[in-house]
Amino acid sequence: MRFLNWLAAYGPSYGSGLGWTALIALWASVGAIVWGSVLLLIRLSGRRWVNLAVEGYVQLFRNTPVLLSIYLIYFGFPLIGVVWPAVICGGLALVLQNGAYISEILRGGVKAIDLVQFDAAKSLGLSGWGTFRKVVLPQVLVYALPSLGNQVILLVKDTSLLSAISVAELTMNAKLLTEQTGAAYEAFVVVAVLYLLLVVVLELAARSALRAVRWRPRYDAL
Amino acid sequence: MITIQGLRKCFPNGLEVLRGIDLAIGDGEVVSLIGRSGSGKTTLLRCINFLEEYDAGEIRLDGTPLWYRAATGGARTRMPEPAIRALRQQMGIVFQQFNLFPHMTALENVCLGPSFAHKRPEAEVKALAQQLLERVGLGGKMRSYPYQLSGGEQQRVAIARALAMRPKVLLLDEITSALDPELVGEVLEVIRSLVLERMMMVIVTHELRFAREISHRIAYLSRGQITEIGPPGELLDNPQDSTLKEFLRRMP
Ligand SMILES: Nc1ncnc2c1ncn2[C@@H]1O[C@H](COP(=O)(O)OP(=O)(O)OP(=O)(O)O)[C@@H](O)[C@H]1O
Ligand SMILES: [Mg+2]
């Protein structure tokens, strides 16, 4: 009963936190998928030293906590004269980290593409970029969809780390409410439920996206 | 017309697959390539449109040297990539395994080449593609994806896709070998109609009866060399080369 009263009083104040979380999750996941695709393209284009650089980048971000990148960007950028809002800095850290993971995921997807398709693309006079855009990427994004969905879910949960640099997203929202009302338990249970809902929605979206794919690979990889 | 002179190709593992190929194919001419498995037929076809690099020799299309440029000191360099692409667009190739793009409909498969290469208006490209698909008997299946098509239908889409580039020559590599016997006829029918249109073609095939019917000349490839070439009647009925005799004796 006490909880319901609390919810009635403070529930609506989660609105803006939820909005921020959704917004950050959206731009960061789109950004991470685009960045992951760019990294994939660089890796496929096969210049040796460039590949090594990308490899190093991926390993670096895979093996360091994302909170560290958030701090480094938020506190580090002003030192080189770049002052960006916390939302942008935090989101950028998420893009850089998840882009690294996503490029790995997509690289796995490329292996599912029948090599003979590259011959076909060449024989039609497609350029490397044309082949990537028309042949590789559309297939890889589908092959990798389940893993991409998982990665985006991880990203959504990681948006809560932006509370560390005072971005007004859900977790920060709860922290503030705790301070205002002293009801730590209530404040954080509501947030947990909201994250859960977000993830469920994503899960359903990923599944229906996969169902909406109308083609099938020659070897049943889907 | 295509002229091939002294073509040599060695795979990195040291295997010399083509050991001096000389061959000229005239406009409107159909040349079939026959030979044992591993004799280098596929490799020769792939060298012609540069899906495979080669070590020596020259290939010309209507007199223009293809793929390599002479550099100083008798060396040669690859042509720049855009030039290679432009030349490839003048040749069509159809593979044994169809190699359609699984994520595109029949129509999209056929449109891809021309819309990318010629930068023509989408509507024009689409009209051409529709016309070609109708021509190979697939007017009703334009919106089907490859997985929804039989092998014979996929192979006809592949032929339409190659034709969409309006190629000067069509290279066909055992295009019926992966098909169930009852589907072979519909594909060969399309090839017959292309012969009537005087399309220049190089056809690798194991179907000697078909080769006899449609080829102007048949070339027998043995261990990387064309050891015998001539009109079907002569080559098939009165072979000179001893390995060719043996090869023909073993064919059904
Ligand atoms: N990428 C490659 N690397 C090394 N060797 C190769 C490669 N591709 C083909 N070969 C070898 O070159 C030889 C000629 O191959 P090719 O595919 O041209 O023969 P083919 O006449 O088309 O045979 P088939 O009738 O079986 O298709 C074979 O011995 C084959 O094993
Ligand atoms: Mg072959």
Side-chain angles (χ1 to χ4, degrees), chain B residues 41-42 96 173-174 204:
Chain B
K41 304 180 298 292
T42 297
Q96 186 174 348
D173 189 6
E174 297 199 40
V204 172

Side-chain angles (χ1 to χ4, degrees), chain A residues 11 15 23 26 31 40 46-47 89 93 123 125 140 149 181 185 192 203 208 219:
Chain A
L23 193 71
L26 186 71
L40 175 71
R47 298 269 150 65
C89 291
S123 77
V140 159
T181 68
Y185 164 75
E203 189 88 47
S208 67
Y219 312 107

Side-chain angles (χ1 to χ4, degrees), chain A residues 2-3 6-7 10-11 13-14 160-161 163-164 167 169-197:
Chain A
R2 205 189 107 197
F3 180 68
W6 189 91
L7 194 61
Y10 298 104
S13 59
Y14 281 100
S160 76
L161 293 171
S163 62
V167 172
E169 45 67 67
L170 269 180
T171 308
M172 191 67 202
N173 209 332
K175 258 198 224 168
L176 293 177
L177 276 177
T178 312
E179 284 161 17
Q180 272 177 34
T181 68
Y185 164 75
E186 288 85 350
F188 283 110
V189 164
V190 172
V191 175
V193 170
L194 288 175
Y195 278 117
L196 203 63
L197 282 177

Side-chain angles (χ1 to χ4, degrees), chain B residues 11-13 15 17 35-44 52 96 173-174 204 206 221:
Chain B
F11 278 114
N13 59 9
L15 181 73
V17 205
R36 241 174 239 150
S37 179
S39 57
K41 304 180 298 292
T42 297
T43 308
L44 173 57
E52 208 75 69
Q96 186 174 348
D173 189 6
E174 297 199 40
V204 172
H206 283 297
L221 203 61

Side-chain angles (χ1 to χ4, degrees), chain B residues 15-16 22 29 33 44 56 59 83 116 124 129 165 170 175 181 193 212 215:
Chain B
L15 181 73
E16 197 174 25
D22 297 306
E29 190 181 24
L33 280 176
L44 173 57
I59 305 177
F116 186 84
E124 192 183 316
M165 305 300 291
L170 208 52
I175 59 169
S193 76
R212 179 194 292 272
S215 321

